[in-house]
Amino acid sequence: SKDDPAASEAAVRRAHDAYVAAINSNKVDQWLGSLSDDVEYLVPNQPAIVGKEAVGAWASRYLEEVSTHWTKSVEQWNVSGGWAVGRY
């Protein structure tokens, strides 16, 4: 909350960690469980992928080709209202 920036950043970090863990599970259902229904993915050289169903179709194809293991160290979080931006 804007009254407690440290608590807001901690919540964002937990959400980010859950997202990375879901992707690293290499299971589409877990990955999609970490996303909102109105998610938008921006993939290089492709049009935006809009909505959980469309992202699920893309993620299924993606995971057929690769096994994912992300290690993402966020150097800085900027949290403002309902938005958070991380710099890797």
Side-chain angles (χ1 to χ4, degrees):
S1 79
K2 66 182 178 179
D3 296 331
D4 189 350
S8 294
E9 185 172 327
V12 167
R13 286 183 184 279
R14 285 190 303 275
H16 178 265
D17 291 348
Y19 173 70
V20 171
I23 289 173
N24 285 342
S25 75
N26 290 285
K27 296 178 181 173
V28 173
D29 59 331
Q30 288 186 28
W31 188 341
L32 294 179
S34 71
L35 305 176
S36 63
D37 290 337
D38 62 349
V39 63
E40 294 188 25
Y41 265 41
L42 302 176
V43 177
N45 303 313
Q46 294 184 31
I49 304 168
V50 180
K52 192 183 276 193
E53 185 176 327
V55 170
W58 174 85
S60 291
R61 291 188 306 274
Y62 175 81
L63 292 175
E64 287 174 3
E65 297 179 21
V66 299
S67 178
T68 299
H69 182 80
W70 284 4
T71 53
K72 291 197 168 240
S73 299
V74 179
E75 292 182 27
Q76 178 182 357
W77 284 108
N78 292 310
V79 181
S80 180
W83 290 89
V85 177
R87 183 169 53 90
Y88 297 95

